[in-house]
Amino acid sequence: MVQINEFAVESWMDAYENHCKYNVAETCCASISVDQLRELSDTKDKEVFSTSKPLTYGAIRGSDELRNNLARLYSAKVASPLSPDNILTTPGAIQANYLTAYALVGPGDHVICHYPTYQSLYEVPKQLGAEVDLWKATPENSWVPTIDDLKALIKPNTKLIIINNPNNPTGAILGKTFLEELIVVASEKNITILGDEVYRPIFHSIGPLDKEFPPSLLSMGYKNVIVTGSMSKAYSLAGVRVGWIASRNSELIETIASARHYTTISVSQLDEQVAAYALHSSTVHGLLARNIQLAKTNIALLEKFVLKNDDECEWVKPVAGTTAFIKFHREGKPVDSVDFCKKLLEKTGVLFTPGSCFGEEWKGYVRVGFVNHTEVIEPGLTEATKFVRKQLDDVELAA
């Protein structure tokens, strides 16, 4: 039997996200309805999905319209366009990441994974029998791991390096120079890089003109790169369950497509039609503008929260994405993050996520999801401030 460890963050969300008043743990940009999606489009008279089309399995690798729209996005401002044939759709990015590992690694292989990050990125390769080492980032280095540490982790059987950029839970980015150095290291050993880019392109605190603005790994000239994405985080449509895998290496795509037959016949036609509408050039710019502005508005509120409570908490301000990793302490000692989050929820209705969901070493940390609706985030943070000031003494300290 496969050894499956508890998926801590998903277990936490499953238990509490539908039982809170202020969801400040949500990692998606505030979700929208089909009607709201249409309102963001320049072609409001165009149907979002067909009600007359027969609901067959549809296109096995993903609809032409959806993959064409994705290829156009990945081909912007690059010399060599990405072919739609180099994209596979999946039921969410979690399946995209699972399928990539399922197709590429197994017993005898070694995997290196950027850390802290979403647990499945390193747990799934373990379940498949691979040896996994964690490439650890620290707050002292702005949550960016070092290339020297990566070189020290590489073994003769290293098959895959996994990064999450922008990062969940920290909101940090791996900048352009860093990515260039990563590619040099990987290419020397012909190691494939998997880039989980689900929080791209929510860049709220860095602009495209910044010399360290991170391009997608797909645009950096290294063939052995796979990136994954989804409609859930940056595009506010988690409910359609559409993700994707993209690579400029057709052999990698064909290997994954072959494995995909065992896990996914096709993605729902209705879901793909909604996703294609959202990613069409007449809609995607309005949708992303809405979400990036929401992130900018709410990160300012979160920064005020941290400043108000700077005797009890600290952070490295996020640069991108929808999450922040904040450390709470009492008289310099980290609090028990689970006890903190449970008592916060009980007393105020505010939901945060314990940092222990990302590793037991992150004592005192909580993950905050700050790109929900501002009318949820603002009062939620106000209630959290009251809790910190009046009831933090009741929270247990970390062991």
Side-chain angles (χ1 to χ4, degrees):
M1 181 177 178
V2 175
Q3 177 63 44
I4 299 178
N5 293 322
E6 180 186 37
F7 200 154
V9 71
E10 294 301 338
S11 295
W12 177 267
M13 297 301 286
D14 182 38
Y16 299 111
E17 70 175 324
N18 292 315
H19 306 284
C20 63
K21 185 175 181 181
Y22 305 103
N23 190 341
V24 193
E26 175 58 71
T27 58
C28 302
C29 291
S31 297
I32 57 175
S33 67
V34 169
D35 287 344
Q36 289 170 318
L37 178 64
R38 185 186 289 109
E39 284 302 308
L40 288 166
S41 177
D42 294 333
T43 54
K44 295 176 176 55
D45 56 340
K46 180 186 176 186
E47 66 179 12
V48 178
F49 58 86
S50 171
T51 57
S52 60
K53 188 176 181 180
L55 294 176
T56 64
Y57 283 114
I60 298 301
R61 295 190 176 202
S63 75
D64 288 344
E65 184 181 12
L66 176 54
R67 294 198 294 162
N68 284 335
N69 287 346
L70 283 165
R72 177 179 46 77
L73 290 173
Y74 282 117
S75 299
K77 299 180 182 178
V78 297
S80 177
L82 179 70
S83 168
D85 292 337
N86 285 56
I87 299 171
L88 303 170
T89 64
T90 59
I94 193 167
Q95 173 68 359
N97 290 327
Y98 187 99
L99 187 58
T100 300
Y102 175 73
L104 299 183
V105 304
D109 292 326
H110 177 239
V111 174
I112 297 169
C113 187
H114 180 189
Y115 179 85
T117 191
Y118 194 56
Q119 187 178 346
S120 67
L121 289 175
Y122 51 88
E123 285 289 348
V124 168
K126 283 184 192 175
Q127 293 169 16
L128 294 167
E131 177 191 2
V132 177
D133 277 319
L134 301 177
W135 182 21
K136 296 185 177 182
T138 65
E140 292 79 15
N141 198 42
S142 301
W143 294 116
V144 177
T146 71
I147 295 295
D148 285 343
D149 284 349
L150 173 64
K151 291 177 180 177
L153 289 172
I154 290 175
K155 300 181 178 182
N157 61 335
T158 301
K159 188 77 172 288
L160 190 65
I161 298 169
I162 302 171
I163 64 170
N164 176 207
N165 193 31
N167 178 260
N168 168 22
T170 66
I173 59 164
L174 306 177
K176 182 179 180 181
T177 300
F178 183 97
L179 295 175
E180 290 170 343
E181 293 173 351
L182 167 60
I183 286 170
V184 169
V185 172
S187 61
E188 287 174 352
K189 305 289 186 180
N190 203 34
I191 300 169
T192 299
I193 306 171
L194 167 60
D196 179 329
E197 296 182 347
V198 295
Y199 291 95
R200 183 180 181 84
I202 301 301
F203 295 103
H204 50 74
S205 300
I206 185 172
L209 297 180
D210 191 299
K211 64 183 180 64
E212 287 303 321
F213 186 83
S216 170
L217 271 177
L218 275 189
S219 68
M220 300 192 70
Y222 182 45
K223 189 175 182 183
N224 293 333
V225 159
I226 299 161
V227 301
T228 57
S230 89
M231 300 304 299
S232 300
K233 309 301 183 183
Y235 299 101
S236 300
L237 292 168
V240 300
R241 306 309 304 134
V242 172
W244 56 86
I245 299 165
S247 177
R248 292 184 179 273
N249 186 329
S250 297
E251 290 182 10
L252 286 174
I253 287 292
E254 290 307 312
T255 298
I256 297 169
S258 180
R260 183 179 179 275
H261 289 310
Y262 286 98
T263 64
T264 306
I265 296 175
S266 62
V267 177
S268 158
Q269 277 200 55
L270 294 176
D271 288 356
E272 287 200 345
Q273 288 178 62
V274 176
Y277 182 97
L279 296 180
H280 190 272
S281 57
S282 65
T283 309
V284 68
H285 303 294
L287 176 57
L288 285 176
R290 176 252 191 195
N291 288 349
I292 292 170
Q293 184 55 54
L294 186 61
K296 288 180 175 181
T297 298
N298 291 357
I299 191 65
L301 295 173
L302 186 58
E303 187 168 23
K304 288 179 182 177
F305 168 83
V306 173
L307 288 171
K308 283 181 183 177
N309 299 290
D310 61 358
D311 287 340
E312 294 83 19
C313 71
E314 59 193 75
W315 71 342
V316 177
K317 184 182 175 182
V319 178
T322 67
T323 62
F325 217 31
I326 302 175
K327 185 177 183 179
F328 286 89
H329 44 75
R330 198 170 72 232
E331 297 176 358
K333 298 176 182 178
V335 300
D336 182 296
S337 64
V338 172
D339 191 55
F340 176 90
C341 289
K342 285 184 175 179
K343 284 177 177 169
L344 176 68
L345 179 61
E346 176 188 345
K347 301 294 185 183
T348 69
V350 174
L351 182 65
F352 287 173
T353 303
S356 58
C357 290
F358 298 89
E360 290 299 328
E361 66 264 52
W362 307 120
K363 297 185 185 301
Y365 279 93
V366 303
R367 185 189 72 182
V368 172
F370 61 87
V371 195
N372 205 340
H373 297 283
T374 302
E375 34 304 7
V376 172
I377 299 299
E378 189 166 23
L381 293 177
T382 298
E383 291 300 314
T385 291
K386 293 176 185 176
F387 176 84
V388 169
R389 292 181 175 177
K390 296 179 180 179
Q391 296 174 293
L392 190 63
D393 286 346
D394 298 331
V395 175
E396 296 175 10
L397 295 176

